[in-house]
Every structure is written in structure tokens, then in C-alpha cells.
Amino acid sequence: MEVGNYLYLAMILFAIGATTVMLRRSAIIAFMGVELMLNAANLAFVTFARIHGDLSGQVIAFFVMVVAAAEVVVGLAIIVAIFRTRKSASVDDVNLLKG
Amino acid sequence: MMTSTGEAVLFWVLAPAMVLGALGLVFARKAVYAALSMIFVMVCLAMVYVMQQAEFLGIVQVVVYTGAVMMLFVFVLMLVGVDASTSAVETIKGQRWIGILMGVGLGTLLVTVTARAALPETVGLDEANSETNPAGLARVLMSDFVLDLEIVATLLVTAALAALVLTHRRRLTPKIGQPERAAARMLAGDHPVNLPAPGVYARHNAMDVPALDPEGNPIEASVSRVLRIRGQEHSLDTDVTTLVATRDAAELTGDHGTDTAAERGGQNDDTDAATTEGEA
């Protein structure tokens, strides 16, 4: 098996994550799609670190994880705040600015 | 570079399972199922990391992603309501098909690019991981990326503060505590203290007989409201010989015979009951 197979897996997972963001109307599930995309990028980073024999790729993947954790905290706080005021977690119901 | 057979077997077991789990995210009806399939994908990813000589990242993946991030997701699902389903009505017409088309297109594009890319010969991490993977990682992290590390620390603190600020609920009305409740009760003119307990007569063992005030008059409020509404309340005049009436009768006649004493057995007051027994 070639090491490049990991890259194919990462690309497929990224595409599925993007599809989730585009298709699902629940804000929480769309958010999980974003997490899947970040994870796929991490897998590509780790694979490239192995291909090049350089640990920088793994360090970047580590940073991606930290940033993803911070992003999840803020994103979920926003979802909870919107749910409190609008009684809905659907991305379609956030249309206050609609003309 | 060809990988070992063991790694190939593990990859071909994990990769289809991960793709299926990720597809579960797209098609799951309930948000909890989506969260669970996401956790599955992340645990599989951790195994893939360990397989790719990134042991530290594998552990961090389990601790941070499945342990913290996905638990946070599950908690928010619980807050928002597990059964909160979104409407099936499409706001943008044909959004589903456009989305599927774009997703498949993106996947095809990415896979094609990867297939056409000329990857260099795989070096492998045996040399970089010579003093174990975490040690090598720490050497890179604390030398080349030390500024990034500081910035990320700031980012984490900011994110924690942001979560506090965003979920903070401002109090629009003053807090109602015990003093305020007491004052409101006095203002409303209700009974400021407990209602009197109903009279306990030996003959009736009675929740349904009103207590007597110091002047011997019945206190209606001492009988439970439910009994009063049902009409199960006993009035003092007809059903129960009152303390006052008995005592008056005894004083008038001067008779301390057994009849009166028996009647006095039904008094609501301990001291009087004791004297009655003494007289008997």
C-alpha cells in the first residue's frame, strides 16, 4: 500500500465534511461537518510529515487541534445564545437581518 | 514507499469504516447519531495517527477531540434538546441536489489533484522520532514555533472569556430573595404566618373540625380548603360539643358527673383534657 492512500482518505473525508456543511440545516450538525474537515486536514498534515520526514507537519496539526478546540467553544456558545433568543438551532431561522 | 502488510490491513479496515461513519454525519436523522458517528471517526483517526508514527497526536486526538470537543457537542445537544429536529422545507430551492453535486465535485477535484500530484519518496519519521515522538515534537514546538505557541495560548484564554460572555444571561429584573417575598406577602394582606391548625377533638380525630380562637369561636380558615369545598367540614354547633358549651353547662349545673366528663373528653386543649381526666 502506498502512503498516498492516506491522502485520498483525507480528501474524501474533507469532501464529506463540506457536504455536511452544505446539506444539514441543524447548526450543530453543520458545525460537526466543519470539525470533520479540520480532522481531514490534520490527517493530510500528519501524512505529509511522514512523507517528508519532518515533524513540523505534526506540530501544525497540533496547532489545528488547539484552534479547533477554541473555535468549538466559541461556536457552541453562539449556538446556545441564538437558541435562547430564537428557540431554534436551525441555520434557516437566523434571518433577522433579512430585508 | 510501500508500507508494511500490517499497516495496509489496518488501513483497509479503518478507512472504509471511517468513510461510512462520516457518511453517517450526512444522513443521520437525529443529531445524537451524527455526534456518535463523528466520535467513531475521530477515534479511528487517532488509530491512524498512531499508525503513522504520530503517537503524541494520536493521544491528543483522543483526549482533546473525543474527550473534550465531542462531549461539548453532546452537552449542547442536551441543552438545545435532543429531539429538536429541523423542518424539511427547503429555504433555497434545490439546495439538496446542489449541495450533493458540489460535494461530489469537490471530492472528485481533490482526489484527482492528489492522484496527479508527484509525491516525493517517503522519508519516514524513524530519524526524527529517534528520541521518541513527543520529545522530537517538543524540540520543534519549543524552538521553531515558540511564538505561535504563545499566540495560541492567548487565543485559548480569549476563547474561554468569549464563551463566558456569550452565554452570560443579563438579569433584567431584580433578584427576588426571601426578604422580597416576605414583604410582598405582607403587602398582599394575606396571613403573614401559618394558618391555625384545625382543632383536634378526641371524638373526631378531626381535620374537619375548625379550631377555636381565644373567645371560643370557630376559625374557618383552620380547616383545609379542600375539605371546605367538598362540604366535609363539621360545624361546631351541630356535630361537636364545643369546649365552651360544655364548660358553661358544667358551671351552670355544677354537675361533675360522668356524662359531662365523657363529653369533655372531646376537648381540643391538652391542659383541659388533663383536668377533665383528673375530675373523672
Side-chain angles (χ1 to χ4, degrees), chain A residues 1-44 46-81 83-84 88-93 95 98, chain B residues 1-3 7-8 11-12 15 18-19 22-23 25-31 34-35 38 41-42 45 48-49 51-54 56-57 60-61 64-65 69-70 72-73 76-77 79-80 86-91 95-96 99-100 102-103 106-107 110-111 114-115 119-125 128-129 133 136-137 140-141 145 148-149 152 155-156 159 162-163 166-169:
Chain A
M1 186 193 84
E2 289 292 328
V3 177
N5 285 4
Y6 287 112
L7 292 178
Y8 291 118
L9 177 62
M11 299 307 162
I12 292 170
L13 288 181
F14 189 90
I16 294 176
T19 315
T20 309
V21 175
M22 285 187 279
L23 287 184
R24 299 306 296 257
R25 248 92 48 81
S26 160
I28 298 174
I29 298 184
F31 209 40
M32 283 191 234
V34 176
E35 289 303 307
L36 188 59
M37 291 162 79
L38 286 169
N39 270 295
N42 270 352
L43 179 57
V46 170
T47 310
F48 277 122
R50 185 183 182 191
I51 289 177
H52 291 284
D54 188 349
L55 281 176
S56 300
Q58 292 190 10
V59 172
I60 295 290
F62 177 67
F63 279 132
V64 170
M65 281 182 190
V66 177
V67 173
E71 169 236 347
V72 160
V73 167
V74 176
L76 287 179
I78 291 174
I79 289 177
V80 168
F83 180 78
R84 273 187 190 156
S88 164
S90 168
V91 286
D92 286 342
D93 292 339
N95 54 7
K98 201 171 172 183
Chain B
M1 185 187 87
M2 296 300 286
T3 58
E7 187 177 340
F11 177 83
W12 288 117
M18 280 164 74
V19 172
L23 285 175
L25 195 58
V26 184
F27 296 114
R29 286 249 172 265
K30 291 185 177 174
M38 191 69 202
V41 172
M42 283 171 170
L45 261 178
V48 170
Y49 289 165
M51 197 159 68
Q52 296 226 66
Q53 296 169 294
F56 180 71
L57 277 188
V60 171
Q61 171 85 7
V64 172
Y65 262 117
V69 170
M70 289 317 292
L72 207 59
F73 268 104
V76 169
L77 275 180
L79 275 180
V80 167
T86 51
S87 70
V89 185
E90 290 188 324
T91 355
Q95 184 210 3
R96 183 170 302 150
I100 290 175
M102 286 175 74
L106 180 66
L110 288 172
V111 168
T114 314
L119 291 175
E121 189 61 27
T122 302
V123 180
L125 288 167
N129 279 349
N133 174 252
L137 210 57
V140 180
L141 188 65
F145 292 92
D148 310 57
L149 195 67
V152 157
L155 175 76
L156 276 181
L166 280 171
T167 52
H168 177 72
R169 215 187 297 213

Side-chain angles (χ1 to χ4, degrees), chain B residues 171-186:
Chain B
R171 182 172 281 286
L172 296 175
T173 52
K175 191 176 180 182
I176 301 201
Q178 203 174 4
E180 287 80 7
R181 282 184 205 282
R185 214 160 33 229
M186 296 301 287

Side-chain angles (χ1 to χ4, degrees), chain B residues 152-223:
Chain B
V152 157
T154 322
L155 175 76
L156 276 181
V157 175
T158 318
L161 267 180
L164 283 180
V165 171
L166 280 171
T167 52
H168 177 72
R169 215 187 297 213
R170 189 180 296 172
R171 182 172 281 286
L172 296 175
T173 52
K175 191 176 180 182
I176 301 201
Q178 203 174 4
E180 287 80 7
R181 282 184 205 282
R185 214 160 33 229
M186 296 301 287
L187 262 176
D190 287 347
H191 258 277
V193 292
N194 295 347
L195 291 172
V200 179
Y201 290 84
R203 260 199 280 184
H204 280 263
N205 191 19
M207 294 292 287
D208 54 352
V209 180
L212 297 177
D213 68 3
E215 289 158 4
N217 301 314
I219 307 170
E220 286 295 314
S222 65
V223 178

